[in-house]
Amino acid sequence: MITVQQIDVRAEQADFFATEVKPLRQRGLTSTPAFSVRYTNFFNIIWLLLNDITIGSAIGTFLCENNVILARRLNYTVEGLLVQWMQWVLLWLDSWPAGLKLNTELSRFYSHTFIDLISLWGGALYWCSPYMSNIIYAVGIASSAGATITISLSSDLLAILTMHIYVCYFVSNFVYARFLGTAGSLWNLFRGKRYNVLRNRTDTWEYDLDQLLFGTILFTLVAFLFPTVLAYYSLFALMRLAIILLQACLEMQLAFMNHFPLFALMLRAKDPWRLPGGIYFSIETRKDENEHVLSSQPVPFSAIFFQYIRLVSRLASHYNPLRLLWYLVSGRLVHPIPRYSIRYNKSPNNQ
């Protein structure tokens, strides 16, 4: 639950706020560099909290005043896109689209099973639709705690509304992965190889004629059924990928609002010398004599946004198109990036 993790982030920031009040009051007992870091982090959290609550209050007011209209539109979108459109796509895929001749019996089994599953979930959503306005109103009330709570609740609501897509994706992925494993075993069979589990390697092996004949029969079944399995797996894998990318956008927005260095950026723009990033010597000529002048150098913007550079690198690594494509082709489950891997250190002193 992203909402619970967001509450954990707020609890960490509240703990940091309570811990840093006393050291900031004792300025004479702290060195200037350490005090500067504490001062910047302390007021940066205050600015972020105030902006978060201000934006969240505005969003909450909008949701509370328009909860009925928003609920009506959301119910219409969920019913039309997540239920009726998916059922239409499954029926379209079962009717040999664009000359794609799938296995009739297996395709009908796939389509009817998934349509019944979607209808079951659609019935549950229809039963909850009269309460959608109350849910939106509750989200609006919770938004007074900050816009990050609104984003977290929206992400959790998206996960709940698309739960049937994940179930269909999981089932089709399981069948697709089993077909790939069977095809790999048959490939070793025809090459006279066998996978050695104990040594974790492929060894040479002699098969009997009956084993080769049985492998040929299995290969025929796999070859004729695999296009149907691939078609339905591709459909739900693309849907699952689209949902994960949408959740990734919400995660980036949360990270932006939780850890954006707003106060440090304002100090850097208004008074750069309050954020020293080092010293340097320059040579100046005065009265025909060269003098070495010691000057302070403000911290560069790359040092201020280094956490975001690290965040972007982690997101780019996890959502790399080649990596996602390999996961889809190899039949491995695609998951969103873990929330704690894109969070900063719990103690802002360590950032």
Side-chain angles (χ1 to χ4, degrees), residues 58-73 132-133 136-137:
I59 296 176
T61 303
F62 174 78
L63 294 178
C64 292
E65 292 180 353
N66 303 275
N67 62 321
V68 178
I69 299 177
L70 293 176
R72 189 182 303 115
R73 291 184 177 273
M132 188 61 66
S133 60
I136 294 178
Y137 190 85

PDB file of all heavy atoms in Angstrom, residues 58-73 132-133 136-137:
ATOM      1  N   ALA A  58      -6.158  22.541  -1.583  1.00  0.00           N
ATOM      2  CA  ALA A  58      -6.851  22.995  -2.792  1.00  0.00           C
ATOM      3  C   ALA A  58      -7.450  21.813  -3.556  1.00  0.00           C
ATOM      4  O   ALA A  58      -8.601  21.866  -4.019  1.00  0.00           O
ATOM      5  CB  ALA A  58      -5.883  23.773  -3.675  1.00  0.00           C
ATOM      6  N   ILE A  59      -6.680  20.740  -3.667  1.00  0.00           N
ATOM      7  CA  ILE A  59      -7.198  19.552  -4.355  1.00  0.00           C
ATOM      8  C   ILE A  59      -8.359  18.946  -3.579  1.00  0.00           C
ATOM      9  O   ILE A  59      -9.368  18.518  -4.159  1.00  0.00           O
ATOM     10  CB  ILE A  59      -6.065  18.523  -4.550  1.00  0.00           C
ATOM     11  CG1 ILE A  59      -4.979  19.086  -5.467  1.00  0.00           C
ATOM     12  CG2 ILE A  59      -6.612  17.229  -5.130  1.00  0.00           C
ATOM     13  CD1 ILE A  59      -3.780  18.171  -5.631  1.00  0.00           C
ATOM     14  N   GLY A  60      -8.230  18.899  -2.249  1.00  0.00           N
ATOM     15  CA  GLY A  60      -9.299  18.344  -1.431  1.00  0.00           C
ATOM     16  C   GLY A  60     -10.590  19.141  -1.545  1.00  0.00           C
ATOM     17  O   GLY A  60     -11.683  18.565  -1.580  1.00  0.00           O
ATOM     18  N   THR A  61     -10.477  20.465  -1.591  1.00  0.00           N
ATOM     19  CA  THR A  61     -11.677  21.290  -1.766  1.00  0.00           C
ATOM     20  C   THR A  61     -12.360  21.004  -3.095  1.00  0.00           C
ATOM     21  O   THR A  61     -13.596  20.895  -3.175  1.00  0.00           O
ATOM     22  CB  THR A  61     -11.296  22.772  -1.672  1.00  0.00           C
ATOM     23  OG1 THR A  61     -10.662  23.026  -0.411  1.00  0.00           O
ATOM     24  CG2 THR A  61     -12.525  23.660  -1.812  1.00  0.00           C
ATOM     25  N   PHE A  62     -11.553  20.861  -4.144  1.00  0.00           N
ATOM     26  CA  PHE A  62     -12.119  20.547  -5.469  1.00  0.00           C
ATOM     27  C   PHE A  62     -12.806  19.188  -5.460  1.00  0.00           C
ATOM     28  O   PHE A  62     -13.902  19.035  -6.030  1.00  0.00           O
ATOM     29  CB  PHE A  62     -11.010  20.580  -6.513  1.00  0.00           C
ATOM     30  CG  PHE A  62     -11.443  20.145  -7.874  1.00  0.00           C
ATOM     31  CD1 PHE A  62     -12.149  20.992  -8.706  1.00  0.00           C
ATOM     32  CD2 PHE A  62     -11.153  18.860  -8.326  1.00  0.00           C
ATOM     33  CE1 PHE A  62     -12.563  20.580  -9.968  1.00  0.00           C
ATOM     34  CE2 PHE A  62     -11.554  18.442  -9.583  1.00  0.00           C
ATOM     35  CZ  PHE A  62     -12.267  19.309 -10.398  1.00  0.00           C
ATOM     36  N   LEU A  63     -12.185  18.184  -4.832  1.00  0.00           N
ATOM     37  CA  LEU A  63     -12.790  16.851  -4.804  1.00  0.00           C
ATOM     38  C   LEU A  63     -14.076  16.834  -3.988  1.00  0.00           C
ATOM     39  O   LEU A  63     -15.058  16.182  -4.388  1.00  0.00           O
ATOM     40  CB  LEU A  63     -11.778  15.851  -4.222  1.00  0.00           C
ATOM     41  CG  LEU A  63     -10.517  15.582  -5.045  1.00  0.00           C
ATOM     42  CD1 LEU A  63      -9.598  14.615  -4.314  1.00  0.00           C
ATOM     43  CD2 LEU A  63     -10.873  15.018  -6.414  1.00  0.00           C
ATOM     44  N   CYS A  64     -14.095  17.527  -2.874  1.00  0.00           N
ATOM     45  CA  CYS A  64     -15.294  17.529  -2.037  1.00  0.00           C
ATOM     46  C   CYS A  64     -16.450  18.270  -2.697  1.00  0.00           C
ATOM     47  O   CYS A  64     -17.616  17.878  -2.547  1.00  0.00           O
ATOM     48  CB  CYS A  64     -14.976  18.155  -0.679  1.00  0.00           C
ATOM     49  SG  CYS A  64     -13.844  17.172   0.351  1.00  0.00           S
ATOM     50  N   GLU A  65     -16.161  19.330  -3.433  1.00  0.00           N
ATOM     51  CA  GLU A  65     -17.226  20.101  -4.070  1.00  0.00           C
ATOM     52  C   GLU A  65     -17.746  19.445  -5.341  1.00  0.00           C
ATOM     53  O   GLU A  65     -18.879  19.735  -5.762  1.00  0.00           O
ATOM     54  CB  GLU A  65     -16.708  21.502  -4.396  1.00  0.00           C
ATOM     55  CG  GLU A  65     -16.420  22.356  -3.164  1.00  0.00           C
ATOM     56  CD  GLU A  65     -15.898  23.731  -3.530  1.00  0.00           C
ATOM     57  OE1 GLU A  65     -15.638  23.948  -4.743  1.00  0.00           O
ATOM     58  OE2 GLU A  65     -15.743  24.574  -2.627  1.00  0.00           O
ATOM     59  N   ASN A  66     -16.957  18.584  -5.975  1.00  0.00           N
ATOM     60  CA  ASN A  66     -17.359  17.958  -7.241  1.00  0.00           C
ATOM     61  C   ASN A  66     -17.333  16.435  -7.151  1.00  0.00           C
ATOM     62  O   ASN A  66     -17.116  15.760  -8.155  1.00  0.00           O
ATOM     63  CB  ASN A  66     -16.427  18.414  -8.372  1.00  0.00           C
ATOM     64  CG  ASN A  66     -16.393  19.917  -8.543  1.00  0.00           C
ATOM     65  OD1 ASN A  66     -17.229  20.506  -9.217  1.00  0.00           O
ATOM     66  ND2 ASN A  66     -15.409  20.564  -7.921  1.00  0.00           N
ATOM     67  N   ASN A  67     -17.559  15.905  -5.964  1.00  0.00           N
ATOM     68  CA  ASN A  67     -17.452  14.456  -5.793  1.00  0.00           C
ATOM     69  C   ASN A  67     -18.504  13.697  -6.585  1.00  0.00           C
ATOM     70  O   ASN A  67     -18.233  12.611  -7.116  1.00  0.00           O
ATOM     71  CB  ASN A  67     -17.536  14.099  -4.308  1.00  0.00           C
ATOM     72  CG  ASN A  67     -18.859  14.501  -3.693  1.00  0.00           C
ATOM     73  OD1 ASN A  67     -19.398  15.564  -4.019  1.00  0.00           O
ATOM     74  ND2 ASN A  67     -19.395  13.672  -2.815  1.00  0.00           N
ATOM     75  N   VAL A  68     -19.695  14.239  -6.711  1.00  0.00           N
ATOM     76  CA  VAL A  68     -20.759  13.528  -7.441  1.00  0.00           C
ATOM     77  C   VAL A  68     -20.451  13.466  -8.931  1.00  0.00           C
ATOM     78  O   VAL A  68     -20.564  12.407  -9.571  1.00  0.00           O
ATOM     79  CB  VAL A  68     -22.111  14.219  -7.188  1.00  0.00           C
ATOM     80  CG1 VAL A  68     -23.212  13.525  -7.991  1.00  0.00           C
ATOM     81  CG2 VAL A  68     -22.454  14.205  -5.702  1.00  0.00           C
ATOM     82  N   ILE A  69     -20.042  14.588  -9.501  1.00  0.00           N
ATOM     83  CA  ILE A  69     -19.714  14.622 -10.934  1.00  0.00           C
ATOM     84  C   ILE A  69     -18.505  13.738 -11.224  1.00  0.00           C
ATOM     85  O   ILE A  69     -18.491  12.972 -12.200  1.00  0.00           O
ATOM     86  CB  ILE A  69     -19.447  16.073 -11.381  1.00  0.00           C
ATOM     87  CG1 ILE A  69     -20.701  16.930 -11.167  1.00  0.00           C
ATOM     88  CG2 ILE A  69     -19.019  16.114 -12.838  1.00  0.00           C
ATOM     89  CD1 ILE A  69     -20.500  18.388 -11.505  1.00  0.00           C
ATOM     90  N   LEU A  70     -17.481  13.834 -10.380  1.00  0.00           N
ATOM     91  CA  LEU A  70     -16.283  13.019 -10.585  1.00  0.00           C
ATOM     92  C   LEU A  70     -16.597  11.532 -10.429  1.00  0.00           C
ATOM     93  O   LEU A  70     -16.061  10.703 -11.184  1.00  0.00           O
ATOM     94  CB  LEU A  70     -15.201  13.433  -9.590  1.00  0.00           C
ATOM     95  CG  LEU A  70     -14.616  14.831  -9.765  1.00  0.00           C
ATOM     96  CD1 LEU A  70     -13.627  15.151  -8.651  1.00  0.00           C
ATOM     97  CD2 LEU A  70     -13.922  14.968 -11.125  1.00  0.00           C
ATOM     98  N   ALA A  71     -17.450  11.187  -9.487  1.00  0.00           N
ATOM     99  CA  ALA A  71     -17.824   9.785  -9.308  1.00  0.00           C
ATOM    100  C   ALA A  71     -18.570   9.254 -10.522  1.00  0.00           C
ATOM    101  O   ALA A  71     -18.354   8.118 -10.966  1.00  0.00           O
ATOM    102  CB  ALA A  71     -18.673   9.633  -8.046  1.00  0.00           C
ATOM    103  N   ARG A  72     -19.481  10.086 -11.085  1.00  0.00           N
ATOM    104  CA  ARG A  72     -20.215   9.661 -12.272  1.00  0.00           C
ATOM    105  C   ARG A  72     -19.279   9.431 -13.456  1.00  0.00           C
ATOM    106  O   ARG A  72     -19.400   8.434 -14.177  1.00  0.00           O
ATOM    107  CB  ARG A  72     -21.270  10.722 -12.619  1.00  0.00           C
ATOM    108  CG  ARG A  72     -22.229  10.272 -13.718  1.00  0.00           C
ATOM    109  CD  ARG A  72     -23.210  11.359 -14.073  1.00  0.00           C
ATOM    110  NE  ARG A  72     -23.977  11.796 -12.896  1.00  0.00           N
ATOM    111  CZ  ARG A  72     -23.905  13.002 -12.384  1.00  0.00           C
ATOM    112  NH1 ARG A  72     -23.101  13.916 -12.943  1.00  0.00           N
ATOM    113  NH2 ARG A  72     -24.629  13.330 -11.342  1.00  0.00           N
ATOM    114  N   ARG A  73     -18.336  10.337 -13.649  1.00  0.00           N
ATOM    115  CA  ARG A  73     -17.387  10.181 -14.752  1.00  0.00           C
ATOM    116  C   ARG A  73     -16.457   8.989 -14.523  1.00  0.00           C
ATOM    117  O   ARG A  73     -16.125   8.258 -15.466  1.00  0.00           O
ATOM    118  CB  ARG A  73     -16.579  11.460 -14.929  1.00  0.00           C
ATOM    119  CG  ARG A  73     -17.391  12.637 -15.450  1.00  0.00           C
ATOM    120  CD  ARG A  73     -16.520  13.850 -15.689  1.00  0.00           C
ATOM    121  NE  ARG A  73     -17.282  14.956 -16.245  1.00  0.00           N
ATOM    122  CZ  ARG A  73     -17.510  15.140 -17.529  1.00  0.00           C
ATOM    123  NH1 ARG A  73     -17.015  14.267 -18.406  1.00  0.00           N
ATOM    124  NH2 ARG A  73     -18.210  16.173 -17.956  1.00  0.00           N
ATOM    125  N   MET A 132     -18.991   5.454  -4.779  1.00  0.00           N
ATOM    126  CA  MET A 132     -17.805   6.108  -5.328  1.00  0.00           C
ATOM    127  C   MET A 132     -17.748   7.579  -4.948  1.00  0.00           C
ATOM    128  O   MET A 132     -16.667   8.129  -4.687  1.00  0.00           O
ATOM    129  CB  MET A 132     -17.782   5.945  -6.852  1.00  0.00           C
ATOM    130  CG  MET A 132     -16.481   6.416  -7.494  1.00  0.00           C
ATOM    131  SD  MET A 132     -15.032   5.481  -6.909  1.00  0.00           S
ATOM    132  CE  MET A 132     -15.418   3.852  -7.582  1.00  0.00           C
ATOM    133  N   SER A 133     -18.906   8.238  -4.915  1.00  0.00           N
ATOM    134  CA  SER A 133     -18.912   9.644  -4.521  1.00  0.00           C
ATOM    135  C   SER A 133     -18.443   9.814  -3.078  1.00  0.00           C
ATOM    136  O   SER A 133     -17.715  10.766  -2.751  1.00  0.00           O
ATOM    137  CB  SER A 133     -20.311  10.231  -4.696  1.00  0.00           C
ATOM    138  OG  SER A 133     -21.252   9.532  -3.895  1.00  0.00           O
ATOM    139  N   ILE A 136     -14.643   9.373  -3.080  1.00  0.00           N
ATOM    140  CA  ILE A 136     -13.956  10.582  -3.553  1.00  0.00           C
ATOM    141  C   ILE A 136     -14.021  11.680  -2.501  1.00  0.00           C
ATOM    142  O   ILE A 136     -13.047  12.419  -2.293  1.00  0.00           O
ATOM    143  CB  ILE A 136     -14.576  11.049  -4.881  1.00  0.00           C
ATOM    144  CG1 ILE A 136     -14.313  10.004  -5.976  1.00  0.00           C
ATOM    145  CG2 ILE A 136     -14.019  12.403  -5.301  1.00  0.00           C
ATOM    146  CD1 ILE A 136     -14.924  10.352  -7.314  1.00  0.00           C
ATOM    147  N   TYR A 137     -15.148  11.781  -1.819  1.00  0.00           N
ATOM    148  CA  TYR A 137     -15.260  12.785  -0.751  1.00  0.00           C
ATOM    149  C   TYR A 137     -14.283  12.477   0.384  1.00  0.00           C
ATOM    150  O   TYR A 137     -13.654  13.397   0.946  1.00  0.00           O
ATOM    151  CB  TYR A 137     -16.689  12.816  -0.222  1.00  0.00           C
ATOM    152  CG  TYR A 137     -16.966  13.975   0.707  1.00  0.00           C
ATOM    153  CD1 TYR A 137     -17.336  15.221   0.205  1.00  0.00           C
ATOM    154  CD2 TYR A 137     -16.855  13.821   2.090  1.00  0.00           C
ATOM    155  CE1 TYR A 137     -17.583  16.287   1.058  1.00  0.00           C
ATOM    156  CE2 TYR A 137     -17.107  14.879   2.951  1.00  0.00           C
ATOM    157  CZ  TYR A 137     -17.470  16.104   2.422  1.00  0.00           C
ATOM    158  OH  TYR A 137     -17.710  17.161   3.268  1.00  0.00           O
TER     159      TYR A 137
END
